[in-house]
Amino acid sequence: MSDKVVVTDIVRADRAIVDALAPLGSATVHEAMGRVGYAGPGIRPIQRDAAVAGTAVTVSVAPGDNLMVHAAIEQARDGDVIVVVPVTDSPYGFIGELMATQMQVRGVRAYVTSGGVRDTAELRSMGFPVWTAHVSAEGTVKDTAGAVNVPVVLGGAVVHPGDIVVADDDGVTIVPRQRAAQTLGAATARAEREAAVRTRYAAGEISMDVNALRPVLDTLGVTYISQAEFDGR
């Protein structure tokens, strides 16, 4: 486990950039960064149609122990996303509605974890978004030290405190704080290109032509033949 510390004065990504990334979505942001930053398909939403972006407050916890999550809530500010990573796979309910109520009052936008959560119906009812690897009724203890605001590895992504967490129905993508402005520019440009392509598809064009895929098939040796030719081979 990381050092037993609570770092109190983290530098957060620019709020305007954070807010602008939310509607672009995790998939577009992931692609715009060069197909990196995605936490992986194991981190899933418990709700539908929630799209958020916020600055990461990171938490390293012992398996089945949520002591440091309590410490992290104290450090959280409006606009943050609390990211909790157990040091080994831990399918426990690290938080439920009571913990989420504290977070929501402090302006925390979401909770993301490679551990687990419980009280999922209540969390959905109160409109507090969660992305998690596990849903479990089994609760935790508060016995073991961990760390708050240190680097953690969430699924397939490294998360530093103050990084941007972009999360929606497609999963979670992490944008390093130092790449925030660059990523916003690239993601915006990608969204504009997709809008133009969508217009062409709506007019009846197809991706084989729009994306110039026929020469790719030719290069790979793919040929077009009739059913009779295929049956007679």
Side-chain angles (χ1 to χ4, degrees):
M1 177 168 297
S2 300
D3 291 342
K4 301 174 183 179
V5 296
V6 175
V7 181
T8 62
D9 55 347
I10 66 171
V11 178
R12 291 166 167 85
D14 181 85
R15 180 68 169 266
I17 295 176
V18 173
D19 292 345
L21 283 170
L24 293 169
S26 61
T28 294
V29 171
H30 163 66
E31 295 283 356
M33 286 197 298
R35 300 174 63 85
V36 299
Y38 177 48
I43 312 296
R44 301 174 179 145
I46 65 165
Q47 67 286 311
R48 296 182 64 181
D49 301 327
V52 304
T55 41
V57 169
T58 59
V59 194
S60 177
V61 296
D65 194 307
N66 76 350
L67 174 62
M68 301 311 294
V69 183
H70 292 267
I73 291 173
E74 183 181 34
Q75 299 304 315
R77 299 180 186 174
D78 179 63
D80 285 340
V81 172
I82 293 182
V83 178
V84 175
V85 176
V87 295
T88 62
D89 187 47
S90 188
Y92 291 81
F94 280 81
I95 71 149
E97 63 168 320
L98 296 181
M99 299 279 279
T101 298
Q102 299 178 65
M103 297 183 214
Q104 199 169 53
V105 168
R106 297 181 74 84
V108 172
R109 292 180 172 178
Y111 180 88
V112 175
T113 184
S114 54
V117 300
R118 62 182 180 179
D119 298 341
T120 53
E122 291 84 352
L123 294 172
R124 286 190 292 269
S125 178
M126 62 193 285
F128 185 72
V130 169
W131 284 259
T132 184
H134 304 286
V135 173
S136 174
E138 188 171 10
T140 58
V141 297
K142 301 169 180 61
D143 296 331
T144 309
V148 176
N149 285 329
V150 299
V152 296
V153 179
L154 176 75
V158 176
V159 191
H160 291 84
D163 284 351
I164 303 174
V165 182
V166 182
D168 57 16
D169 285 346
D170 291 334
V172 176
T173 295
I174 305 300
V175 180
R177 178 175 59 84
Q178 293 85 350
R179 295 186 61 185
Q182 172 192 358
T183 298
L184 176 59
T188 300
R190 183 180 178 85
E192 291 171 350
R193 289 194 300 272
E194 289 180 348
V197 169
R198 188 179 302 110
T199 298
R200 295 179 67 178
Y201 289 166
E205 294 187 69
I206 63 173
S207 55
M208 284 290 292
D209 297 319
V210 171
N211 296 326
L213 297 178
R214 298 185 194 283
V216 177
L217 292 181
D218 290 341
T219 299
L220 294 174
V222 178
T223 59
Y224 287 76
I225 62 175
S226 69
Q227 182 70 60
E229 290 172 317
F230 180 78
D231 291 341
R233 290 195 306 178

